[in-house]
Amino acid sequence: MIQDSMIYGADTILIDLEDSVSVYEKDAARYLVKYALRTLDFGKSEVAVRINGMDTPYWRHDISMIIPERPDMIRLPKAESAGDVKTLDAAISDLEAASGIKVGTTKIMVSIESARGLKNAYDIAVASRRMVAIAIGGEDFTADLGVKKTREGNELLVARGELVLAARAAGVDAIDSVFSDVNDEVGFRMETEKAKAMGFTGKSVINPRQIPIVHDVFKPTCEEIEEALKIKEAIKEAESRGSGVISLNGKMVDRPIVKRAERTLELAEMLGLIKEVAAC
């Protein structure tokens, strides 16, 4: 599966050393991932490796095998405190230095999977300069709450909201949980649209069939790009007048709107959508 993972157009490929690997196969899995990172070309996709949790005896061996192979990111599951991230950060720094890699190169993403972790989400998100994203692990989180994860997802509504707030406050991405039923594309699209509306910046998937839906939901629409371009022109016009007051169609454009427009254009440029606006 790893050797074909780059053909589906995922933004990030997550290689797992945790739940999908039995305790009897941890060593074999580490060697498999090590040589995959060393030999395969993953194209434009980032490569992240999910290590075992810090409440296990496996995580240090995981990173000692993986960091020298220069993955883009380490994903820490079941993060519960800033101390978890600081300990991981220090261990990665030692391995980077020993491997001739610039310290700080490897990024960290964590998964929040418990009520305790959620309550510490902001502290976790700012615990290291390596941090780029926090995600919610829906299945484990609902298990921790003692409730069942449903198609509607109401049991995760508060947790999703709090996680987005923590991520935004910390300046990192917020990534939504997986949707387990790969045959329910309608339900998956609904959940993805809800995640975007709540402020998530991405969504995890468990099947390549789900990737185009995530891209379709999260990409800016033509209308959003056109509006952002108009705001950009309004900013230039205000600057040319030496005015700090920006207006568009007779309405004031305040800082949050400017910031949202900048983010829309950044994403549109990254996805190569600016040129397509004229054809909308």
Side-chain angles (χ1 to χ4, degrees), residues 130-165:
R130 299 176 187 272
M131 286 289 299
V132 292
I134 55 176
I136 183 160
E139 296 291 349
D140 285 284
F141 191 88
T142 50
D144 187 56
L145 294 185
V147 299
K148 183 179 179 181
K149 188 173 184 290
T150 65
R151 182 176 187 265
E152 293 73 25
N154 292 329
E155 65 283 349
L156 284 173
L157 188 59
V158 172
R160 281 178 162 131
E162 289 195 14
L163 187 120
V164 168
L165 290 175

Side-chain angles (χ1 to χ4, degrees), residues 5 7 12 50 52 57 114 128 140 162 167 169 183 209-210 229-230 246 252 266:
S5 60
I7 68 176
T12 301
R50 183 168 73 167
N52 287 278
S114 68
S128 167
D140 285 284
E162 289 195 14
N183 294 317
R209 288 159 49 194
Q210 295 175 325
L229 288 171
K230 289 177 182 176
I246 306 167
M252 293 283 290
E266 180 183 342

Side-chain angles (χ1 to χ4, degrees), residues 197-216:
M198 292 185 72
F200 281 94
T201 48
K203 187 170 180 61
S204 300
V205 303
I206 57 172
N207 188 289
R209 288 159 49 194
Q210 295 175 325
I211 295 172
I213 296 175
V214 173
H215 285 168
D216 186 54

Side-chain angles (χ1 to χ4, degrees), residues 12-237:
T12 301
I13 296 168
L14 180 64
I15 304 175
D16 189 33
L17 290 174
E18 196 212 10
D19 286 348
S20 66
V21 180
S22 81
V23 295
Y24 306 106
E25 296 177 329
K26 296 292 185 188
D27 284 338
R30 290 186 192 107
Y31 278 103
L32 178 65
V33 175
K34 176 184 179 70
Y35 289 105
L37 291 171
R38 183 176 295 183
T39 59
L40 296 180
D41 179 1
F42 292 90
K44 295 181 179 178
S45 299
E46 289 182 312
V47 179
V49 177
R50 183 168 73 167
I51 61 173
N52 287 278
M54 302 190 72
D55 59 341
T56 75
Y58 309 120
W59 71 272
R60 281 192 183 276
H61 200 176
D62 292 342
I63 61 172
S64 69
M65 294 277 288
I66 299 306
I67 293 300
E69 306 306 326
R70 303 172 183 262
D72 295 301
M73 196 184 322
I74 292 294
R75 175 157 167 159
L76 175 65
K78 302 178 177 62
E80 294 208 324
S81 71
D84 289 345
V85 176
K86 290 178 180 177
T87 300
L88 177 62
D89 184 321
I92 292 175
S93 293
D94 290 344
L95 290 165
E96 287 177 333
S99 304
I101 300 170
K102 182 180 178 182
V103 173
T105 299
T106 313
K107 304 306 179 188
I108 296 176
M109 171 184 183
V110 304
S111 179
I112 303 296
E113 302 176 26
S114 68
R116 181 168 181 260
L118 183 63
K119 287 302 178 187
N120 294 325
Y122 174 76
D123 291 339
I124 290 171
V126 297
S128 167
R129 297 182 69 176
R130 299 176 187 272
M131 286 289 299
V132 292
I134 55 176
I136 183 160
E139 296 291 349
D140 285 284
F141 191 88
T142 50
D144 187 56
L145 294 185
V147 299
K148 183 179 179 181
K149 188 173 184 290
T150 65
R151 182 176 187 265
E152 293 73 25
N154 292 329
E155 65 283 349
L156 284 173
L157 188 59
V158 172
R160 281 178 162 131
E162 289 195 14
L163 187 120
V164 168
L165 290 175
R168 291 299 190 194
V172 301
D173 284 332
I175 308 299
D176 193 30
S177 181
V178 298
F179 186 83
S180 300
D181 187 350
V182 297
N183 294 317
D184 183 3
E185 293 189 359
V186 173
F188 177 69
R189 178 175 285 275
M190 288 174 60
E191 184 170 280
T192 306
E193 289 173 343
K194 185 185 294 183
K196 180 184 178 183
M198 292 185 72
F200 281 94
T201 48
K203 187 170 180 61
S204 300
V205 303
I206 57 172
N207 188 289
R209 288 159 49 194
Q210 295 175 325
I211 295 172
I213 296 175
V214 173
H215 285 168
D216 186 54
V217 170
F218 276 94
K219 74 178 183 183
T221 65
C222 283
E223 291 75 17
E224 290 170 338
I225 297 171
E226 286 177 339
E227 181 72 11
L229 288 171
K230 289 177 182 176
I231 291 171
K232 184 179 179 180
E233 286 302 313
I235 294 171
K236 286 184 179 178
E237 194 275 333

Side-chain angles (χ1 to χ4, degrees), residues 231 233-248 250-255 258:
I231 291 171
E233 286 302 313
I235 294 171
K236 286 184 179 178
E237 194 275 333
E239 289 175 346
S240 69
R241 290 187 285 104
S243 173
V245 179
I246 306 167
S247 64
L248 179 64
K251 296 180 179 178
M252 293 283 290
V253 178
D254 56 20
R255 184 58 195 161
V258 171

